[in-house]
Amino acid sequence: MKFGVVTFPGSNCDYDAYAAAKLLGEEVTFLWHQSSDLQGADVIILPGGFSYGDYLRSGAIARFSPIMKEVVEFAHAGFPVLGICNGFQVLVESGLLPGALMRNDHLRFSCRFIHIRVERNDNIFTAAASTGDILKIPIAHKDGNYYNFTADIDALEKNGQILFRYCDSRGNITPESNPNGSMANIAGICNREGNVVGLMPHPERAVEDILGSSDGLQIFNSIKLSLARGKKLERA
Amino acid sequence: MKQPNVTPQMVKDHGLSDDEYKVIIKILGREPNYTELGIFSVMWSEHCSYKNSIALLKTLPRDGDCLLAKAGEENAGAVDIGDGLAVVFKIESHNHPSAVEPYQGAATGVGGILRDIFTMGARPIASLNSLRFGSPENPRVRYLIDGVVRGIGDYGNSFGVPTVAGETYFDEAYTGNPLVNAMAAGIVKTDKMISAVIKGDGNPVMIVGSKTGRDGIHGATFASEEISEKSESKRPSVQIGDPFTEKLLLEATLEVIDKGLAVGIQDMGAAGITCSCSEMSARGNSGVTIDIEKVPVREPGMTPYEILLSESQERMLVCVKKGKEKEVEEIFRKWELNSAIIGETNSSGIFRVRLNGETVAEIPSESLVLGGGAPVYTRETRKPERIEQPAHLNLADFPLSRDWNKDLLSLLASPNICNKDWVYNQYDSMVRTNTALGPGSDAAVMRIRKTRKAIAFTTDCNGRYCYLDPRVGAQQAVAEAARNVVCSGARPVAITNCLNFGNPYKPEIYYGFAEAVAGMGEACRIFGTPVTGGNVSFYNEDPDHAVFPTPVIGMLGIVDDISDITTQWFKDEGDLIFLVGENREELGASEYLHTIFGKNVGPVPQLDLTFEKLLQDALLAAIKAGWVKSAHDCSDGGLAVALAEGAISNRDRMIGAEIYLDDNIRPDALLFGETQSRIIITASETTGEKLVDHFAAAGLPIAAIGRVGGRFLKINDEINLSIEEMNSAYYESLRTKLERFS
């Protein structure tokens, strides 16, 4: 299995995603934003950071880079794409995921450990977890306030597209455990097909006990497990 | 080019004294032209030349086996940590810009110190900030705090360096002139370290990164004056930061260094092209000729004077190996950055600037720089009244029939002691996944990948101590920094310092400076922590008063094995709690007197450096032996606050304690006095005896004072507080104070 980690100018969690995938013992390659070659990657990670400085709007410029054209095709063909933090913002801007990520309701950047609850484990990125698992994972963002029209939130719910919700340490979905004002405490969603996932928390920062948590490994292990099962992942 | 004639008024406006001007004429053998006057003015400003401090700084211990770059040799100090790796680190002030434009002032402070690190080939691994403000009750102060914290956050977060530690301290003394000291550290393979030097014959000199604009002209000169009503008009002297460009500059610069294409690199901070050209060529005993029209500029019509003095951010000067310029250009193009060859090295020793072939400035490089021709002064000192005849602390003035629970809660909620997560949660403290211990314990610890090692960092200084006794205060700053590093499981190896003082021409201010430098030197010699460099910031005064003398210590420690990493919070029910060190009846200069009685009187607590060193060595040995489950020093707020922090500073797992103290001293001094050289450690039942024997064998007082457990902190009959009460006082206070709208 081969991970491809996209580096946009201003990406700064690309190395962290690389290191996390390496921990699984898998092959990982960096994909340069100007390139149009996914180098045979089986799964693409759009990492965190501030692509192109994010001076206009988070993720708004990155979607136009040459590599994104390939990533969009790759996603449409049903292959797995994971957007973390800025990567989630890029996925939303590029239309691969619905909704918008607005400024946090408290208007400040926030970096700390929070808890998220795994809402479904029938997805490529959650297959190794159990539904209801509580993961301790850090957030680090200013624009993570997930917004969508009420009807679309209902549709996400109905279609099983809400994969992660902010919760307290016991798994309760409460307003106090919502770190940014996201609707329905949404921390991560997938597209209808389930192969494109975006989340604001950073699983790649929680992969070793020395970093404060290794719960993020659940997500990386899920990728490995799903690809090993080979479900819908054969290249066309 | 027609340059304005230099007039006496112009010399004065450039901040040069008559004597200095005479020296300039002697150096040049003629009157300087307008451009040259500007060059001398910035290079001989306090900020660049250290003219009023360097003589004293040279008395500090600057040697050590592990030093690869000593103070003043390079942009930052470099310490060999073994395994073929070095840590490069430095602290620097951005006080004046932050006073008038807090967001950009603080942001560019972070940007500047990061460039100092990666210009040596090191990848930044940690950023710290030591901040001092007036009372948060003051709306203007709240505006400054908000801007400074957002500025630091936005810059470091976007750049992608974890901001892992620091201090936020409040006192009226900093109301008009906040202190914003930014520290950064990086890791470099020792064989990839590169020098800030221009040398050789015919090596091309390139400017890379952002284009040069009219921002920040005379920023260095502005930093060398007191803050006044007129300072608001200096807002254009503050530069604008662009962390995105800095991130690209980092990657491109490291690539150029890694491929061995450069002779030397220096970032452009204060005094821009002028400073980098003159310092780099002076360091290389070489000369450089710049064709100023080749510098990429942001707007037409900029004069050589403006281009030379611009402090536009995110720029570097690279002395390229002849023949490698195409490869360098290619790398910068890949990162979408400007690069331009603007000149060439030679052996003349002259910094020459040409405009379309015509020479507009011609000065010996050596004459401009610190350690060369820049002036050196030792100023007059006078012992201030407050130190000559200190106010006598009469303990009888402070009644003992008090509600100690209430006092402890007030201290836990006081801005200097309460938890600062409102500040540090705005900083990304984890990016690049090396943060083993982030903000909220005694020091931050970063693991070093592919080794068993880690590096501990802290910044410390108690300005109130330094105000009351600058010499002992500076010793205490070093001692506390070392104590924090040791409590985290590291051995102290070196310091960087940021010396924040008032106007050096005032003898009482200079007395404080001289005493603090002396005290710091004494302490550093005892702890074996050489000074690897840093920064002096004078003129920290508003019209009312000077800031407290504030010699901030940034300390680096090495954790030999990551299993030694130790935190300050209590771990398990039933663990034994020990106090190493002695309780004495010292209440002077305490946060208790300040918070409860509004008093700022000495004497400061005594400090025996030899005893302190013995204590720290013994503690580190105990940690390495695996006997210590938590370690925390007693500092602001004394023993009671240290115990409360042990109970509540791990938010995931707060746990109480029962403490019995049988010292025969006043309860206020026992609970809240700030006697130095005291550590609280916890250990399991089975290792307790070993610890007692260990410290006793070292001749150190150790006492079992209680046990971890329950949901209350109980200290004798004086304190009985629930975890919940302490939690809300400690964690909610700063947010409540800062997020007010009036």
Side-chain angles (χ1 to χ4, degrees), chain B residues 561-620:
Chain B
D561 191 291
I562 48 175
S563 63
D564 297 339
I565 298 172
T566 305
T567 50
Q568 68 180 33
W569 43 84
F570 298 154
K571 301 297 182 303
D572 298 302
E573 290 270 344
D575 282 348
L576 298 169
I577 303 174
F578 294 93
L579 174 70
V580 187
E582 258 178 335
N583 297 319
R584 286 201 291 266
E585 201 165 271
E586 293 178 305
L587 210 48
S590 65
E591 189 61 37
Y592 174 76
L593 289 189
H594 178 73
T595 299
I596 310 289
F597 298 98
K599 294 260 189 248
N600 184 17
V601 286
V604 300
Q606 296 166 26
L607 176 64
D608 177 341
L609 288 169
T610 316
F611 179 82
E612 175 79 39
K613 169 74 170 144
L614 196 65
L615 176 108
Q616 292 184 13
D617 287 350
L619 175 62
L620 189 59

Side-chain angles (χ1 to χ4, degrees), chain B residues 51-69:
Chain B
K51 58 187 168 191
N52 287 308
S53 61
I54 189 65
L56 291 178
L57 295 179
K58 283 188 170 165
T59 66
L60 290 168
R62 301 191 291 176
D63 283 317
D65 296 342
C66 60
L67 296 194
L68 297 174

Side-chain angles (χ1 to χ4, degrees), chain B residues 199-205 287 320-323 325 343-347:
Chain B
K199 59 183 180 192
D201 238 330
N203 282 323
V205 172
V320 179
K321 288 181 183 165
K322 203 190 299 185
E325 46 276 42
E344 207 176 79
T345 62
N346 54 54
S347 54

Side-chain angles (χ1 to χ4, degrees), chain A residues 16 55 108 111 205 208, chain B residues 146 242 425 428 432 447:
Chain A
D16 303 346
Y55 289 126
R108 293 179 188 281
C111 172
R205 294 186 180 190
E208 294 172 78
Chain B
D146 177 71
D242 176 2
N425 281 353
D428 188 337
R432 296 196 72 80
R447 59 103 174 256

Side-chain angles (χ1 to χ4, degrees), chain A residues 9-12 15-16 32-34 50 52-53 55 108-112 136 138 142 204-205 208 210-211, chain B residues 146 154 157-158 160 242-244 247-248 335-336 422 425-433 436 447 652:
Chain A
S11 292
N12 60 32
Y15 181 76
D16 303 346
W32 186 241
H33 68 118
Q34 291 287 13
F50 291 75
Y52 299 89
Y55 289 126
R108 293 179 188 281
F109 189 94
S110 181
C111 172
R112 60 195 169 95
K136 183 187 169 193
K142 195 189 256 181
E204 82 285 11
R205 294 186 180 190
E208 294 172 78
I210 194 174
L211 303 176
Chain B
D146 177 71
D154 283 357
N157 297 346
S158 175
D242 176 2
F244 171 60
K247 164 73 173 162
L248 304 181
W335 290 100
E336 301 179 9
W422 185 90
N425 281 353
Q426 295 189 52
Y427 308 149
D428 188 337
S429 55
M430 308 175 196
V431 62
R432 296 196 72 80
T433 54
R447 59 103 174 256
D652 288 345

